[in-house]
Amino acid sequence: MITVGIDPGLDGAIAIFDGRNVRFWAMPTIIVGKTNRAKRLVDKPALFDLLSLIADAQPAVCAVEDVDGVRNQSASAACSFGKAAGYVEMAVIGNRIPFELVHPKSYKTHFRIPSSPDRKTRKANARETAARLLPQVREHFAKTNDDAKAEAALLALYARNVLCAASK
């Protein structure tokens, strides 16, 4: 059984898990605009095409992180983040992949990932937990900026352990 986990956002990631192996993709992005006003955005067609390829594997379910705004984030950044999350949901829906939105607290509590008021510590805890639970791909969680891959992998594992188990 194949499950998918998606950590949305410009620095997000997508993971598929077949019970043994995990594959990762960075969120596809593009740069638009002139050099001094260039913006990085989700590459919507590339995201849709990637999820189309994943849909061909007939995943049982996809767990998409149900994101909230980030504390102290500007309105513009929050809007951009919300759009990116919406693009992910629509690409999943458009490719007819069964999915559930999963709040971070749900999967982090399930895997007993220690919480912290410090964002860097929370991300490090997610990477450490993913490395412990998925030792066959632990090298993918070694760097500080590997937190999106770790969270996507944890979401795919949560989908397998919790969402698929609940549907039986």
Side-chain angles (χ1 to χ4, degrees), residues 122-155:
R122 285 194 311 270
K123 299 296 184 178
N125 291 343
R127 288 191 347 268
E128 290 167 11
T129 302
R132 179 176 45 81
L133 295 173
L134 299 162
Q136 69 275 29
V137 290
R138 72 179 317 118
E139 71 276 3
H140 289 279
F141 314 127
K143 294 184 255 167
T144 304
N145 63 350
D146 288 339
D147 57 279
K149 285 192 282 188
E151 291 187 355
L154 290 167
L155 283 159

Side-chain angles (χ1 to χ4, degrees), residues 23-45:
R23 289 191 60 198
F24 300 98
W25 293 267
M27 185 63 60
T29 61
I30 56 172
I31 306 292
V32 296
K34 297 186 176 170
T35 308
N36 61 343
R37 296 195 37 109
K39 284 182 118 173
R40 188 167 150 242
L41 303 171
V42 170
D43 185 340
K44 296 176 284 294

